[in-house]
Amino acid sequence: MDKFNKKVACWINRSLFLLVIVVFSAGLCKTLFFPKEIESYENRYANQFKLPTLNSYLDSTFQDNTEKALSDQVHLSTTAKKIYNDVNAAVMKQCISWFFSDSQNYITLKNIDFYHDYLMYSVRDMENVKEPLRQKAQHFNQVFQDNPNVDFYIYYIEKDTDINFENNQKPHLYEFFRDQVDLPDDHISRFQIDNFEQFSQYFYRTDHHWNYKGSYKGYTQVANMLGISDSDLITPVEEVDLNYSFSGSKASSSGITNVFTEPFWAYRFDYPPMTITENGALVDDFGAQNLYFSHQPDTISYGSFYGGDSGELVFDTHQEDRDDILIVGESYDNAILKLLAAHFNKTYSIDLRNYEAFMGQPFQFSQYLRDHDISKVLLIGNIDYFVMEEFMLRG
């Protein structure tokens, strides 16, 4: 009986050894002679085997390249990567659930900052932004003086960079900027965040933008500042869970897009009819809200749902008895542009980071006002908008 068992064990060992040799040989053969061009799982070009040279062998480039090629080309490599990433994601999610949700402190995991189960940006230091804020305020004040017949409005959006949630202490960036700007009190306002409870209600867990509740609150505050009464505001038709697994900009920039996800909720609105021009071309819509409500796209992002950072947008409701307005902002206002446009004849939206690239010429602010006979301007954004050089109103 022992002799029989030894023979079986020997046969099993030899079979396993042969299986390893066959799999390795097949993988090597595939890597050398039948390599795939695309690593579809990671959405990139697959590493290819390269013949060695004396230099590549001596500096280890050949060895490194061969290792990468084998990891991409051998059989079941993609499956192995997917299993590893799924297990890693499950472990990380469990760590977040166990350790982060009830924590009252910022916690760093793999160079990523969390507060509870929200990905966080660092609080801005007043000393680092004081001078840029002062320069931007002085620049705006000069623009106001140069265009005395235009009504200017400023809306500042506070977020996680404006408050330390461990102690609710704020660097008071908005207050400093407001004191530098020569505008009436009713022409400058902010989206105010004073604690984590407010932040978690109005912002995504994995993305730096405000969510559907935050953007709608922002719309109502901006509209009121612009003189639009509550009775004239557009109200949501319904609140919808779009049934998408959403992993936003903070997750993707941290390299954990598939690790940390959240649901994507949105309000559905009945927008009035409007003609939309994007970067000089007539388009069917800005964003793809209707498509997402019918669940047609496979994936979702803030920009794909609400609309991206175009150089110029023009919304025309053909209500010529109403004013025109120019909105100079960044990605935060994408979520509320159509809502605001409903209250005006023509709404011009400019993203100064992208205008020249899309329109083929620099943006000339005062000339643009004259060309379109604009008498009302809204400047809207978060702290980055108010310190970045790109958002100077030149020309």
Side-chain angles (χ1 to χ4, degrees):
M1 189 68 178
D2 291 340
K3 191 174 183 179
F4 175 78
N5 289 339
K6 288 181 179 179
K7 286 184 178 181
V8 172
C10 182
W11 182 84
I12 292 174
N13 289 336
R14 288 178 179 178
S15 298
L16 290 174
F17 177 76
L18 288 175
L19 179 62
V20 170
I21 294 297
V22 169
V23 171
F24 177 80
S25 299
L28 183 61
C29 180
K30 181 176 183 297
T31 302
L32 294 174
F33 304 110
F34 306 101
K36 61 184 177 183
E37 294 186 4
I38 303 296
E39 174 53 82
S40 57
Y41 176 66
E42 297 178 345
N43 192 29
R44 60 173 174 81
Y45 288 104
N47 289 292
Q48 309 284 322
F49 176 78
K50 296 179 182 179
L51 292 173
T53 64
L54 179 60
N55 287 337
S56 68
Y57 181 82
L58 292 176
D59 66 9
S60 299
T61 304
F62 167 72
Q63 295 90 322
D64 293 339
N65 174 260
T66 300
E67 182 180 348
K68 292 178 181 178
L70 289 170
S71 69
D72 277 356
Q73 302 293 347
V74 297
H75 296 287
L76 302 178
S77 62
T78 298
T79 301
K81 291 176 186 177
K82 187 176 186 305
I83 292 173
Y84 171 80
N85 288 335
D86 288 347
V87 171
N88 186 57
V91 171
M92 193 168 183
K93 287 178 181 177
Q94 194 61 54
C95 288
I96 293 169
S97 175
W98 283 346
F99 300 113
F100 292 4
S101 296
D102 296 327
S103 173
Q104 299 303 313
N105 299 299
Y106 288 91
I107 297 177
T108 300
L109 177 65
K110 294 186 176 181
N111 297 319
I112 304 166
D113 291 331
F114 291 88
Y115 188 82
H116 290 239
D117 54 353
Y118 278 68
L119 279 72
M120 290 290 171
Y121 286 149
S122 299
V123 180
R124 301 297 288 267
D125 183 357
M126 171 62 84
E127 291 305 313
N128 291 333
V129 300
K130 179 182 292 186
E131 190 55 32
L133 281 174
R134 193 195 315 276
Q135 292 177 5
K136 183 61 68 69
Q138 292 174 351
H139 169 73
F140 282 169
N141 290 338
Q142 186 61 55
V143 171
F144 303 159
Q145 293 179 26
D146 293 341
N147 299 275
N149 297 322
V150 177
D151 284 330
F152 287 92
Y153 300 83
I154 289 178
Y155 189 71
Y156 180 105
I157 302 165
E158 291 187 343
K159 53 188 178 69
D160 50 351
T161 54
D162 293 80
I163 181 171
N164 183 326
F165 293 122
E166 291 180 353
N167 53 26
N168 289 334
Q169 294 297 307
K170 304 172 73 170
H172 301 294
L173 308 178
Y174 168 75
E175 289 86 351
F176 175 83
F177 181 74
R178 181 195 61 198
D179 291 342
Q180 306 289 316
V181 175
D182 296 332
L183 278 181
D185 289 342
D186 59 354
H187 280 224
I188 181 168
S189 183
R190 64 172 156 172
F191 186 92
Q192 187 169 343
I193 296 296
D194 291 325
N195 52 58
F196 179 73
E197 287 70 30
Q198 291 177 346
F199 178 80
S200 62
Q201 181 180 3
Y202 295 126
F203 285 82
Y204 295 110
R205 285 184 170 87
T206 65
D207 195 275
H208 67 282
H209 295 103
W210 47 16
N211 61 23
Y212 73 112
K213 290 183 178 179
S215 60
Y216 185 72
K217 179 179 179 180
Y219 152 68
T220 62
Q221 292 179 340
V222 170
N224 288 161
M225 182 174 64
L226 294 173
I228 300 165
S229 65
D230 287 341
S231 60
D232 290 330
L233 294 175
I234 295 179
T235 56
V237 174
E238 60 178 331
E239 184 180 23
V240 181
D241 180 356
L242 293 174
N243 294 315
Y244 282 90
S245 180
F246 172 57
S247 191
S249 58
K250 287 182 177 178
S252 61
S253 64
S254 303
I256 56 170
T257 302
N258 296 319
V259 175
F260 205 40
T261 61
E262 59 184 308
F264 195 100
W265 286 75
Y267 285 134
R268 188 199 299 269
F269 299 100
D270 281 337
Y271 295 103
M274 60 181 73
T275 302
I276 304 175
T277 303
E278 184 172 8
N279 299 324
L282 192 66
V283 294
D284 293 333
D285 200 0
F286 176 59
Q289 296 184 35
N290 289 332
L291 292 178
Y292 278 107
F293 283 122
S294 60
H295 215 272
Q296 294 185 40
D298 294 327
T299 59
I300 197 166
S301 68
Y302 175 88
S304 63
F305 182 80
Y306 289 112
D309 297 333
S310 301
E312 180 194 60
L313 290 159
V314 183
F315 302 86
D316 189 349
T317 62
H318 307 284
Q319 302 177 89
E320 296 184 0
D321 58 327
R322 296 189 174 186
D323 293 335
D324 297 339
I325 187 173
L326 169 63
I327 300 175
V328 184
E330 30 90 4
S331 56
Y332 274 84
D333 66 32
N334 295 350
I336 65 174
L337 287 175
K338 290 175 66 176
L339 291 168
L340 291 174
H343 303 285
F344 296 92
N345 176 39
K346 289 184 179 180
T347 299
Y348 300 88
S349 171
I350 301 296
D351 189 325
L352 293 171
R353 297 168 299 179
N354 303 317
Y355 182 88
E356 184 172 359
F358 282 115
M359 303 302 290
Q361 60 185 359
F363 182 73
Q364 302 293 322
F365 179 72
S366 294
Q367 186 63 47
Y368 197 89
L369 296 182
R370 291 191 293 269
D371 289 345
H372 299 284
D373 195 23
I374 294 170
S375 59
K376 193 182 295 285
V377 174
L378 170 66
L379 309 174
I380 176 174
N382 71 96
I383 179 60
D384 303 310
Y385 174 85
F386 291 100
V387 298
M388 287 174 63
E389 182 74 16
E390 291 88 334
F391 292 105
M392 293 292 191
L393 302 173
R394 297 186 172 91

